[in-house]
Amino acid sequence: MDMTENLRPSGAHPTDQDRTSYAYGNAAYDGSTAYDGVAGGYPPPPPYAPTNNHRRAKRPVALLAAVALAAAVVGGGTATLVGQLNNGSAQATGFTGTVQGTTVSQSSKGTVSGVAEAVSPAIVEIGAASSAGKSTGSGVVITEDGEIVTNNHVISGAQQIEVTLSTGKTYTADVVGTDPDKDLALIKLRGASGLKTAALGDSSQVKVGDQVVAIGSPEGLTGTVTSGIISALDRDVTVAKDDSGSSDQGQGQGGGGQQWPFEFGGQQFNGDTGEKTTTYKALQTDASLNPGNSGGALINMDGEIIGINSAMYAPSSSAAGSGSSAGSVGLGFAIPVNTLKADLDTLRAGNNS
């Protein structure tokens, strides 16, 4: 049947309804004008384009679901990816499988082994020789060319400093700056490049009960890893302040059983801190710390440095009766990393407080 055929029944007459004008194309149709080539005077229906909105609407949803499913299979990142897509962000393409600022893989995140594997290469052993003997401590590499943070009492009065990396390679180091008031020091390796560095975290975010990992060189055992929790915050710890090297605090970190003298709660531990002392706010941890851990790292489970280990309590052995060390009893202290970050410019300037 011709689509333009007049479908009005034979003999039918127009109704008495008012004629209404309709816009059609570029002319107005009032119901009485006959169109060329059209029987009956009625215009042909307008050519409507076929629509497929229902089918098209489903395709982006299906695509989003497929992408989210693929992200879940590869790296468990569905929630992050969908959230970024909903916000119109394209940052999801930058995901590399590591926690930003560290090298702890997603599969190992939150494990002691994962933290140890990622951060151990940035922890070094420091040997400091002076007229009083040789001390052993630890340090944290913070730049690829060999800037290392440690405790002031580790290198205090040292005439020569030798640093051993986790690989066994050794370097000679020079003192860049010290801050005895905070028991911090910065040294620099000679001729180093391309070193593995540690990421500095935010100690203001640390909470009591957080899991932590300690890495250092207790008794010269390089790269020793222990773990525990944060036991308390803002402990007032007092340690010896001595740039001349006349005290034993910095000289007993190797063998011989001597400890880090410090004061806490009005009492002295591990010996006499001397007349020159300094007090700082410290993180308390039950992670095992022993002589040689001084200057090493206290690390959160994302692999970020949150403190520099500085003091621990080790009661003397009653069996020996000679004041020899009985080892760690889970009472250790670390200088918050935010204290270090605030002091870095001063240390790099070579200022010795």
Side-chain angles (χ1 to χ4, degrees), residues 129-198:
S130 71
S131 58
K134 183 178 181 180
S135 66
T136 302
S138 304
V140 181
V141 181
I142 59 172
T143 63
E144 293 183 353
D145 61 352
E147 281 189 345
I148 295 174
V149 175
T150 186
N151 288 137
N152 176 66
H153 72 254
V154 171
I155 53 87
S156 176
Q159 298 168 341
Q160 182 177 356
I161 301 174
E162 185 176 84
V163 174
T164 304
L165 305 184
S166 62
T167 60
K169 187 174 183 178
T170 61
Y171 289 88
T172 299
D174 299 309
V175 176
V176 176
T178 62
D179 189 345
D181 287 332
K182 298 181 177 66
D183 195 19
L184 290 171
L186 183 69
I187 64 176
K188 177 76 177 292
L189 303 185
R190 298 178 185 175
S193 62
L195 301 184
K196 171 70 176 179
T197 63

Side-chain angles (χ1 to χ4, degrees), residues 13-329:
H13 299 278
T15 65
D16 57 358
Q17 296 176 345
D18 294 334
R19 292 174 177 173
T20 304
S21 297
Y22 299 94
Y24 184 81
N26 295 325
Y29 172 61
D30 62 2
S32 62
T33 304
Y35 281 78
D36 293 340
V38 179
Y42 288 96
Y48 295 106
T51 61
N52 197 18
N53 293 337
H54 185 64
R55 180 174 297 176
R56 290 178 181 270
K58 289 184 177 181
R59 295 181 66 183
V61 176
L63 178 59
L64 176 61
V67 172
L69 179 59
V73 173
V74 174
T78 306
T80 301
L81 179 61
V82 173
Q84 290 176 335
L85 289 176
N86 287 341
N87 292 329
S89 171
Q91 295 179 355
T93 57
F95 184 74
T96 61
T98 61
V99 180
Q100 186 176 4
T102 75
T103 55
V104 180
S105 65
Q106 286 286 4
S107 60
S108 299
K109 183 181 177 183
T111 67
V112 174
S113 60
V115 171
E117 181 181 6
V119 184
S120 287
I123 311 301
V124 301
E125 179 181 313
I126 299 175
S130 71
S131 58
K134 183 178 181 180
S135 66
T136 302
S138 304
V140 181
V141 181
I142 59 172
T143 63
E144 293 183 353
D145 61 352
E147 281 189 345
I148 295 174
V149 175
T150 186
N151 288 137
N152 176 66
H153 72 254
V154 171
I155 53 87
S156 176
Q159 298 168 341
Q160 182 177 356
I161 301 174
E162 185 176 84
V163 174
T164 304
L165 305 184
S166 62
T167 60
K169 187 174 183 178
T170 61
Y171 289 88
T172 299
D174 299 309
V175 176
V176 176
T178 62
D179 189 345
D181 287 332
K182 298 181 177 66
D183 195 19
L184 290 171
L186 183 69
I187 64 176
K188 177 76 177 292
L189 303 185
R190 298 178 185 175
S193 62
L195 301 184
K196 171 70 176 179
T197 63
L200 302 183
D202 182 359
S203 53
S204 70
Q205 300 300 312
V206 175
K207 297 180 176 60
V208 173
D210 284 352
Q211 289 183 297
V212 291
V213 175
I215 305 178
S217 300
E219 302 293 351
L221 300 174
T222 305
T224 296
V225 177
T226 59
S227 64
I229 63 169
I230 294 295
S231 304
L233 306 174
D234 298 325
R235 294 297 200 194
D236 288 322
V237 174
T238 301
V239 298
K241 173 185 175 182
D242 189 353
D243 280 328
S244 67
S246 60
S247 77
D248 290 335
Q249 182 183 2
Q251 306 305 325
Q253 299 302 312
Q258 296 189 37
Q259 306 293 325
W260 310 310
F262 71 97
E263 297 178 15
F264 175 72
Q267 300 182 44
Q268 290 192 351
F269 300 92
N270 305 335
D272 188 1
T273 55
E275 296 181 357
K276 295 182 179 180
T277 61
T278 183
T279 301
Y280 54 81
K281 297 289 186 181
L283 304 173
Q284 181 183 330
T285 180
D286 68 350
S288 179
L289 301 179
N290 290 285
N293 273 115
S294 188
L298 190 66
I299 312 158
N300 65 20
M301 302 310 289
D302 285 335
E304 299 168 331
I305 310 300
I306 58 170
I308 302 298
N309 298 322
S310 58
M312 52 83 66
Y313 173 54
S316 60
S317 172
S318 58
S322 59
S324 61
S325 171
S328 172
V329 293

